[in-house]
Amino acid sequence: MHITILGRQPALGVAELEQLYGANNVRWFSQQAALVDSPNFDFETLGGSQKAGQVVLELDRGNWLTASRQIVQYYTAKWRASEHKITLGISAYGFKISPRDVQKTGLLIKKKLRDSGTSLRLIPNPEIALNTAASHHNKLGLSPTKVELLVVRAPNNRLIIAESVGAQNITALAARDQARPRTDAFVGMLPPKLARMMINLSGETKPGRLWDPFCGTGTVLQEARLKGINVYGSDLSQKMVDYATENMQWLDNKYQIDPQWQVFQADATDVKLNTAQKSEINRVVCEAYLGQPFSAPPKPTKLTAVRGNCNHIISQFLANIRPQINPSTALVVAVPAWRDHSGKFTHLPLIDQLADLGYRRLHLNLVSDDQLLYYRENQVVAREILLLKPLDEN
Ligand SMILES: C[S@@+](CC[C@H](N)C(=O)[O-])C[C@H]1O[C@@H](n2cnc3c(N)ncnc32)[C@H](O)[C@@H]1O
């Protein structure tokens, strides 16, 4: 059993886990953590979890003192005879305690081990949980002597102690976001983490080929290829086609990866796929046209115009590709939703007309549709993630 520490938008992280491992094998543990019971669990592929750990101990109820006692007892016994120096980080989630309380537990283990001749380096806790950068930088969870304990408390006082299997590689994610040759602030910057989540949300694992018909600079394409998936990318703008091409070449040089890529210019509302493309494509994953960016909620007339325009383009796109794609194709389409001052969202009308366009929306068990929204606090244009399947032909 693994526990994952979810990212900034926990519901998206749980949706990703549900699509990868099945609703029966995933459950919410607390608002920021989920449990996964699967022999195929692979933290590396996730976009929506910051850390994950193998569960060592689960208690029906307890507080920090209970957890701390268990940790000190178990790990001083375990490491007493260690020939190697141990590096230890401790991260607490869901506790009302201070970083000093966490540190004290580590110091107690350090003292007891010193008495028995084992040396331990304790990672300092500026917060009760180490941030992902500190965990990753110290390579915690990546070898038996570099350990991070994830101690998680649920609101009903259940406790889990887990040994981390790694933290999100934010250095590589940031490099892919910023160090690639081409980025474009105007078309928007799809965070690689979100691209990764969207690919996983397709639930598709057969080889086939992914198509992003609004590929922009190619963020979805790059994350898919890093997962071993062949890709097609297309975009209305030749400039974006050139950017995505350059970014793909950069990825080839930097990571020496095999998956094939082909990027071409096409209008998603009237593109005609060729026979090879039709037979290969088994998932469509894209961040569709989001309209113009806003730094403050637009006036109602402006919002109506932008929403109408986005709705038109995305409906036309869905209607155009429907007869061309295989009926089993999985679609993950990020569309815009606009947030007003009170935090309410205005959605695209097409969301209520999917059947007319030839699609059905997939509903998940652990997360409601309205939780599949990605935005930062100060963002007006959120991305609403639609999980779609073509309606059966007959
Ligand atoms: C929100 S951006 C996608 C950004 C992309 N995810 C990336 O990583 O850079 C939307 C893209 O859709 C393209 N676009 C707009 N209308 C289009 C259409 N009718 N057909 C195809 N692409 C279109 C724009 O040129 C833009 O690159």
Side-chain angles (χ1 to χ4, degrees), residues 72-374:
V72 172
Q73 196 182 9
Y74 182 80
Y75 287 97
T76 44
K78 181 171 174 177
W79 291 328
R80 177 156 290 146
S82 171
E83 288 169 15
H84 304 282
K85 181 172 176 163
I86 305 288
T87 303
L88 175 66
I90 305 180
S91 288
Y93 298 90
F95 292 92
K96 290 192 187 73
I97 53 171
S98 72
R100 265 177 59 107
D101 295 321
V102 181
Q103 207 71 28
K104 266 198 238 160
T105 303
L107 288 171
L108 203 55
I109 302 177
K110 186 178 170 94
K111 180 173 174 308
K112 290 194 174 214
L113 286 179
R114 193 190 301 127
D115 296 344
S116 66
T118 304
S119 82
L120 182 138
R121 180 168 83 95
L122 186 63
I123 309 289
N125 276 81
E127 307 287 339
I128 66 168
L130 299 173
N131 64 35
T132 319
S135 302
H136 181 73
H137 179 73
N138 286 291
K139 300 191 166 55
L140 298 182
L142 303 184
S143 74
T145 56
K146 294 191 190 326
V147 178
E148 178 174 1
L149 300 179
L150 309 176
V151 190
V152 194
R153 181 183 156 272
N156 62 5
N157 285 326
R158 282 185 81 84
L159 269 187
I160 279 191
I161 300 171
E163 282 183 22
S164 164
V165 294
Q168 214 158 42
N169 185 350
I170 52 168
T171 324
L173 281 165
R176 291 211 289 282
D177 204 17
Q178 289 136 25
R180 57 196 179 143
R182 294 296 185 179
T183 55
D184 188 298
F186 191 76
V187 304
M189 308 278 261
L190 179 70
K193 265 190 246 185
L194 179 57
R196 204 155 255 252
M197 275 188 255
M198 288 170 59
I199 295 162
N200 289 332
L201 279 168
S202 77
E204 181 57 80
T205 49
K206 289 192 275 312
R209 197 148 171 164
L210 176 149
W211 176 33
D212 179 349
F214 294 87
C215 73
T217 58
T219 316
V220 171
L221 307 180
Q222 118 196 337
E223 293 307 310
R225 293 186 66 222
L226 288 167
K227 277 175 65 71
I229 304 168
N230 294 335
V231 298
Y232 288 118
S234 54
D235 199 284
L236 178 64
S237 146
Q238 184 58 47
K239 178 171 138 188
M240 285 303 134
V241 172
D242 295 342
Y243 278 15
T245 303
E246 238 182 282
N247 284 341
M248 288 301 106
Q249 287 161 345
W250 172 80
L251 202 69
D252 283 339
N253 288 334
K254 192 167 164 71
Y255 292 89
Q256 268 97 46
I257 48 174
D258 293 331
Q260 295 166 13
W261 59 274
Q262 196 190 333
V263 179
F264 53 96
Q265 191 278 328
D267 182 338
T269 65
D270 67 8
V271 60
K272 299 280 169 280
L273 296 175
N274 64 33
T275 315
Q277 290 166 338
K278 279 184 191 164
S279 71
E280 284 175 282
I281 292 168
N282 64 350
R283 50 198 129 176
V284 174
V285 179
C286 63
E287 179 190 34
Y289 178 60
L290 301 178
Q292 70 192 79
F294 290 108
S295 52
K299 296 220 167 65
T301 46
K302 181 75 186 167
L303 178 57
T304 306
V306 175
R307 178 177 178 242
N309 188 27
C310 291
N311 197 61
H312 178 74
I313 292 173
I314 300 169
S315 303
Q316 292 270 307
F317 146 64
L318 288 172
N320 172 46
I321 69 164
R322 174 64 191 86
Q324 305 188 61
I325 55 176
N326 192 302
S328 63
T329 306
L331 294 95
V332 180
V333 185
V335 302
W338 293 267
R339 245 165 34 117
D340 68 12
H341 285 298
S342 67
K344 271 223 244 79
F345 289 95
T346 302
H347 302 271
L348 282 186
L350 69 84
I351 293 177
D352 297 321
Q353 296 146 11
L354 288 165
D356 298 340
L357 295 165
Y359 297 88
R360 64 188 168 89
R361 189 168 185 183
L362 291 191
H363 304 288
L364 300 176
N365 289 314
L366 302 172
V367 171
S368 63
D369 293 346
D370 59 11
Q371 289 178 299
L372 295 181
L373 277 159
Y374 184 93

